[in-house]
């Protein structure tokens, strides 16, 4: 188990379409241990395997009460392997996002407000959930990483893109991203 370096925007692995996991064995277990350590160390809302240089379809996410997202609902800690998203609403909602691979910046992204996600947990047991609001946003952000998409590529108004400490001067600087 180790805290791994988080790759930053521009690294080619972040632009790749990641490969499905076929074996729920020790290799996946080791990857998830590193991902959990890294997400905890960086205090992130989620992390995708490509962000630590592993081009596999694995994401983790979860938000306890976090001062970084004062309006955010809690999101249960989830390991999601080979995810599939089905959108359940035509409605989009704008919201601020940050990303550990785009440090120091925030931007407004429009995301679908309600979706279903399926996939597998770390033991290969099926997951099938409906999510709304912030939970749905986090799932969309993390799963985008598996298709080589970073949130700035989803933005429709670049005037709503800036440095976190300039946009939100009152935010605790430890909560950079
Ligand atoms: Ni991200």
């Amino acid at each position: 188990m180790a805290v791994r370096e988080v790759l930053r925007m521009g690294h080619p692995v972040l632009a790749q379409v990641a490969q499905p996991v076929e074996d729920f064995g020790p290799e996946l277990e080791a990857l998830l241990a590193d991902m959990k350590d890294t997400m905890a160390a960086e205090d992130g809302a989620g992390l995708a395997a490509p962000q630590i240089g592993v081009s596999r379809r694995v994401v983790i996410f979860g938000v306890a009460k976090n001062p970084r997202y004062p309006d955010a609902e809690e999101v249960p800690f989830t390991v999601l392997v080979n995810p599939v998203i089905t959108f359940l609403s035509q409605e989009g909602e704008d919201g601020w996002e940050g990303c550990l691979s785009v440090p120091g910046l925030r931007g407004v992204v429009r995301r679908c407000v309600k979706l279903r996600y399926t996939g597998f947990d770390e033991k290969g047991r099926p997951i099938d959930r409906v999510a709304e609001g912030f939970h749905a946003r986090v799932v969309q952000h993390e799963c985008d990483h598996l298709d080589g998409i970073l949130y700035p590529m989803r933005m429709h108004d670049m005037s709503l893109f800036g440095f976190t400490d300039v946009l939100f001067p009152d935010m605790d600087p430890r909560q950079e991203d």
Side-chain angles (χ1 to χ4, degrees):
M1 302 209 302
V3 174
R4 302 264 291 262
E5 183 193 352
V6 177
L7 303 182
R8 289 177 303 146
M9 184 166 62
H11 195 288
V13 171
L14 292 174
Q16 288 174 8
V17 175
Q19 296 301 305
V21 170
E22 280 156 12
D23 184 7
F24 290 77
E27 202 178 315
L28 177 64
E29 209 172 294
L31 169 63
L32 283 166
D34 284 358
M35 287 176 69
K36 289 174 190 174
D37 286 352
T38 304
M39 181 174 134
E42 302 287 345
D43 195 22
L47 192 73
Q51 291 183 278
I52 60 166
V54 178
S55 193
R56 287 283 178 183
R57 302 189 80 79
V58 179
V59 300
I60 62 174
F61 53 83
V63 182
K65 280 287 169 204
N66 187 332
R68 186 190 302 169
Y69 306 102
D71 304 324
E73 311 94 88
E74 286 180 57
V75 178
F77 181 80
T78 302
V79 168
L80 187 59
V81 178
N82 298 344
V84 175
I85 291 176
T86 309
F87 295 114
L88 298 180
S89 172
Q90 302 288 339
E91 197 189 331
E93 183 176 58
D94 285 343
W96 288 97
E97 295 189 14
C99 180
L100 296 173
S101 294
V102 191
L105 293 159
R106 290 291 165 95
V108 167
V109 184
R110 187 162 296 165
R111 298 286 190 185
C112 179
V113 297
K114 187 173 182 184
L115 53 75
R116 176 183 180 202
Y117 63 94
T118 60
F120 301 91
D121 73 5
E122 65 272 32
K123 303 283 187 205
R125 295 172 296 216
I127 292 174
D128 186 342
R129 285 189 193 148
V130 172
E132 296 182 60
F134 185 66
H135 185 171
R137 176 175 298 277
V138 169
V139 170
Q140 288 168 85
H141 177 115
E142 296 311 326
C143 291
D144 265 354
H145 279 293
L146 307 181
D147 292 324
I149 297 167
L150 299 174
Y151 79 81
M153 298 158 70
R154 293 280 191 202
M155 291 185 63
H156 57 91
D157 182 353
M158 293 308 283
S159 73
L160 299 172
F161 189 41
F163 291 96
T164 312
D165 60 342
V166 179
L167 288 163
F168 306 108
D170 298 331
M171 189 180 281
D172 184 338
R174 286 170 302 171
Q175 268 116 33
E176 259 285 297
D177 293 288

